[in-house]
Amino acid sequence: MAIGQWSSTSSGISRRAATVPEQPIAKLMTAALANPELISLAAGFVDDATLPVEAVGQALEQLRLRPESMRPSLQYGSTAGDPALREHLLGMTAGSATEQMSIDRIVVTAGSNQLLHLLAETLLDPGDIVLCAAPTYFVFLGALSDVGARAISVASDGEGMLASALQETLERLQAAGLRQRVKCVYTIPYFDNPAATTMSKPRREAIWEVVDRWSQDQVLYLISDDAYRALRYEGDDVPTFLELGADPERVIHCGTFSKQFAPGLRVGWGLLPEALVEPVLRQKAVIDFGSPYFNQVLVRTIIEQRLLEPQVERLRAGYRVKLNAMVDALQRDVAHIPGVRFHQPTGGLYVWLELPEHCSTGPDSPLWREATRRGVLYVPGEFCFAAEGEKLRPNTMRLSFGVQSAENIRKGISLLAAAIDEVTTAANHG
Ligand SMILES: Cc1ncc(COP(=O)(O)O)c(C=O)c1O
């Protein structure tokens, strides 16, 4: 049955459930992965080979040797999460701003996706507006549409969302009488998914300045989704918005152990403004009254046994090689095609590729057909643009270097290059 065609009366499901579309990407992936030979540069998964089996084994052994620690972790926990873990998370997230805050602001969630969903539920009524970069994290766009909110995209460049464009968008919305509907600005300041950009310190300051200016009469929250922060392969860490002096009552930091440790544990967290803690916890209590407690205690043990840093170091070393393999292959095979653009990210799991303007990448495009026929898969960029705001760029794609070996990355890029060549040559002669 096609998207949106479920009938709530024949299936007995609610009207709201009936309107939730299948994630378009999930559908594409299932179809495309039916071919096991395919090299997927699409999935944003972490590398199976790097999953921390040893570290988790050691932490489990520690817990087994201390039944007094293990026993409570097999019981229900609190809705906000394990206090000792939250203490660590506060330090990791607030950095130099930790001293002015307590763990009451930290809520542990089942992955940061749950937090994003809770934020959507907590902050947004139907018709409310979230401003995001063009492009942005497509799963969050799904969460927004799920609550009937509007996502409006703001122009971005190699450092993420442009402060001037954010200002202009807010001015435009105010002129249209919609300022009250704008609830938050969503950013991914470290190694963005999908754009692979990182906001410099001056860019963060400029974005915060705009948010601050527009929160004088009515609060405007700034969401900083820091999912990839630990995955830096070059250069120094950039301070968070909070560390740069942003107001903790208006900044929401989202963190996760998925990319830096193991997504299967589903441990994420938020550092929230005081006014949001209780409403978010109430929403969460309705759903699960606390994320799996055992996983939280496991993660806490991993941190306390100093097993996290070596794992992150291993990941950095491995992903650095793969990122270089991808960028080198793109330089060799794709860069010569007129109109192709990409930059070398300094971390994360993605490269964002722009093709000549006429070269669409979507699931109905000749390029998609040609690439899947040749055996390589990517995420069409069109899924990463909000329905409103900046114009969607159909000639873009997200490439992930997380899952495949360096050799397969090179092979995949070479297949992709052949597909692009084929399609652009045909277009030039057509
Ligand atoms: C930008 C961003 N935020 C949040 C998440 C959610 O991660 P998790 O729910 O595994 O913590 C992802 C996952 O890919 C992501 O890319």
Side-chain angles (χ1 to χ4, degrees), residues 255-286:
T256 177
F257 287 98
S258 288
K259 309 297 178 182
Q260 59 176 315
F261 197 73
L265 293 175
R266 309 306 298 131
V267 179
W269 73 93
L271 173 60
L272 306 180
E274 241 168 50
L276 294 187
V277 173
E278 196 51 41
V280 164
L281 286 177
R282 284 186 195 183
Q283 289 280 354
K284 186 164 166 60
V286 173

Side-chain angles (χ1 to χ4, degrees), residues 135-138 188 190-197 228 350 384 398:
T136 192
Y137 177 41
F138 50 81
I188 308 167
Y190 300 92
F191 323 119
D192 188 20
N193 175 9
T197 52
Y228 298 88
Y350 311 108
C384 308
R398 188 193 78 176

Side-chain angles (χ1 to χ4, degrees), residues 144-161:
L144 297 179
S145 102
D146 202 22
V147 296
R150 292 169 64 185
I152 299 184
S153 64
V154 174
S156 52
D157 66 4
E159 292 189 17
M161 187 184 283

